[in-house]
Amino acid sequence: MKTLQSTLLLFLFVPLIKPAPPSQQDSRIIYDYGTDNFEESLFSRDYEDKSLDGKSIKEKETMIIIPDEKGFQLQKDESIKPLSPKKENDEMPTCLLCVCLSGSVYCEEVDIDAVPPLPKESAYLYARFNKIKKLTAKDFADIPNLRRLDFTGNLIEDIEDGTFSKLSLLEELTLAENQLLKLPVLPPKLTLFNAKYNKIKSRGIKANTFKKLNNLSFLYLDHNALESVPLNLPESLRVIHLQFNNITSITDDTFCKANDTSYIRDRIEEIRLEGNPIILGKHPNSFICLKRLPVGSYI
C-alpha cells in the first residue's frame, strides 16, 4: 500500500519539474528546436549608446544560426565588419561648408585650398579670402552656367590652360589680390575682368589676350608690375585701370590709331595711369582720340 502511495505522489510531482535552461558555453547560445529543413539565417541586433570620441553611435552586430548535431547555435558573424564612424576632418558637402542660395554659392573665409565641388545649377561663385593656390580645368568642367567667379584674396599662382574654356556664359571674372604672374586665356563673353593687386608683368599677357573680348567693358589691372599698356584692347572698353604699375612708355597706337586722325574712341569713360614712372604730357598724340584725358602725371 505504501509503495502504491509513493508511486502516485511521484506521478503528481513530475509535471511540475521543469528542465534547466541550456548553459552558455564559449559565448554561444544554443536553441534546441530540431534540424528538419532549417536553413541558415541572419539576424541583426542593434546596440545603442556605444561611445566614440564622446559621440553616440549605433552599431550593428550580425548573428548567424548554424545547425549542428545537437540543435542550433547562434554565433556572431565575424565576416561582416561594421562601418567605421566618419572622421571629423572628412570633407563636408559644399552646401554645408558654404552657403548655397538660388544658384549662388558663397564660400568666403572658410579656409578652402581648392575649388569645392559645385552644384550643377550654380551661376555665381564667391570664394573670396581663402587659401586656393591653383585653378584647373576640372574645377568648372561640369558647371556650364557660371556667370560670375570671384576669387579675391586667395593665393592663386597658376591657372591651367583651358580652365575657363567651357564657361561660354561667364561675364565677370575677379582674380584680385592673388599671386598671379601671367593671365590665362579668357572666356569670350566677359564684361568685367579684375586682376588688380597681383604680380603680373607685361610678358605674362599675350598679344591677343583681350583682342576678341568684344563685350569687355571694365578692365582692372592696377597694382601689378606691367611695363607697358596691354596690346589690342577692345573697342568695348569703358573703364581701364592701370595705375601703380611700372609703365614707362605709351605710343600713338596704344589707345588711338596713329594713321587715322578722325578716329574717336567714344566709349572710354576713364583711364587711370597715375603711379607709373611716365610723364603723360610728353605723349600728347597718344590721347587725341579720347574724350577725356587719362588720370596721371603730365609734368
Side-chain angles (χ1 to χ4, degrees):
M1 187 68 175
K2 290 182 179 180
T3 303
L4 180 60
Q5 290 177 348
S6 299
T7 303
L8 290 173
L9 288 174
L10 180 61
F11 279 108
L12 288 173
F13 282 103
V14 165
L16 299 178
I17 299 173
K18 294 183 180 180
S23 61
Q24 294 185 2
Q25 296 179 357
D26 300 329
S27 300
R28 296 184 297 184
I29 304 173
I30 300 177
Y31 295 91
D32 190 4
Y33 292 140
T35 59
D36 291 339
N37 298 324
F38 201 98
E39 295 181 352
E40 182 175 289
S41 303
L42 291 177
F43 291 84
S44 294
R45 296 191 300 176
D46 293 344
Y47 291 87
E48 302 284 354
D49 298 327
K50 290 205 172 185
S51 179
L52 179 66
D53 295 333
K55 293 185 179 179
S56 177
I57 63 170
K58 184 175 182 179
E59 179 185 295
K60 284 192 175 182
E61 266 187 6
T62 303
M63 308 301 290
I64 183 169
I65 290 180
I66 301 176
D68 64 8
E69 57 187 15
K70 294 183 178 180
F72 296 96
Q73 297 177 355
L74 186 62
Q75 297 182 7
K76 182 176 178 180
D77 187 0
E78 301 291 345
S79 65
I80 301 178
K81 298 181 179 179
L83 293 175
S84 58
K86 189 174 182 180
K87 298 179 181 178
E88 289 185 2
N89 61 352
D90 284 354
E91 290 185 4
M92 295 178 65
T94 299
C95 290
L96 290 180
L97 178 67
C98 309
V99 177
C100 300
L101 182 64
S102 299
S104 297
V105 181
Y106 299 87
C107 291
E108 299 178 311
E109 298 184 270
V110 290
D111 289 337
I112 53 176
D113 57 10
V115 178
L118 300 174
K120 289 190 175 182
E121 68 275 11
S122 298
Y124 307 97
L125 171 62
Y126 303 91
R128 295 179 286 206
F129 306 109
N130 287 292
K131 298 177 181 178
I132 299 171
K133 293 184 178 180
K134 185 176 182 178
L135 299 180
T136 66
K138 67 179 181 180
D139 290 334
F140 313 109
D142 299 319
I143 321 293
N145 296 320
L146 281 168
R147 295 179 180 273
R148 181 184 299 157
L149 292 173
D150 191 342
F151 291 100
T152 298
N154 279 274
L155 304 171
I156 300 171
E157 298 176 346
D158 184 35
I159 300 177
E160 280 185 4
D161 291 338
T163 294
F164 308 114
S165 62
K166 294 184 178 180
L167 303 183
S168 59
L169 301 179
L170 192 67
E171 297 175 351
E172 298 183 16
L173 176 58
T174 299
L175 301 169
E177 299 177 42
N178 281 281
Q179 306 293 322
L180 289 173
L181 297 174
K182 61 181 181 178
L183 294 184
V185 176
L186 300 175
K189 291 189 177 181
L190 278 186
T191 61
L192 180 149
F193 179 65
N194 185 347
K196 65 182 180 180
Y197 286 98
N198 277 276
K199 300 177 180 180
I200 303 167
K201 295 188 175 183
S202 291
R203 65 173 177 267
I205 302 178
K206 296 180 180 179
N208 60 351
T209 296
F210 299 107
K211 187 175 183 179
K212 296 182 178 180
L213 303 185
N214 297 321
N215 296 318
L216 189 64
S217 296
F218 303 92
L219 176 60
Y220 302 102
L221 290 172
D222 52 282
H223 296 85
N224 276 282
L226 299 176
E227 298 90 0
S228 60
V229 177
L231 299 174
N232 298 313
L233 295 178
E235 296 284 335
S236 56
L237 278 170
R238 294 169 52 194
V239 175
I240 305 172
H241 282 193
L242 297 168
Q243 68 269 28
F244 297 99
N245 277 280
N246 294 321
I247 297 173
T248 57
S249 64
I250 291 178
T251 70
D252 293 351
D253 289 312
T254 299
F255 300 109
C256 302
K257 296 180 180 179
N259 298 325
D260 186 357
T261 56
S262 63
Y263 171 71
I264 302 296
R265 194 161 191 162
D266 56 359
R267 292 189 181 182
I268 289 185
E269 300 171 4
E270 181 181 67
I271 298 176
R272 293 185 59 178
L273 288 166
E274 74 270 23
N276 285 283
I278 184 174
I279 304 299
L280 300 181
K282 293 182 178 181
H283 306 275
N285 293 332
S286 298
F287 316 118
I288 196 169
C289 66
L290 304 177
K291 291 184 175 182
R292 299 177 181 85
L293 290 174
V295 176
S297 176
Y298 284 85
I299 55 174

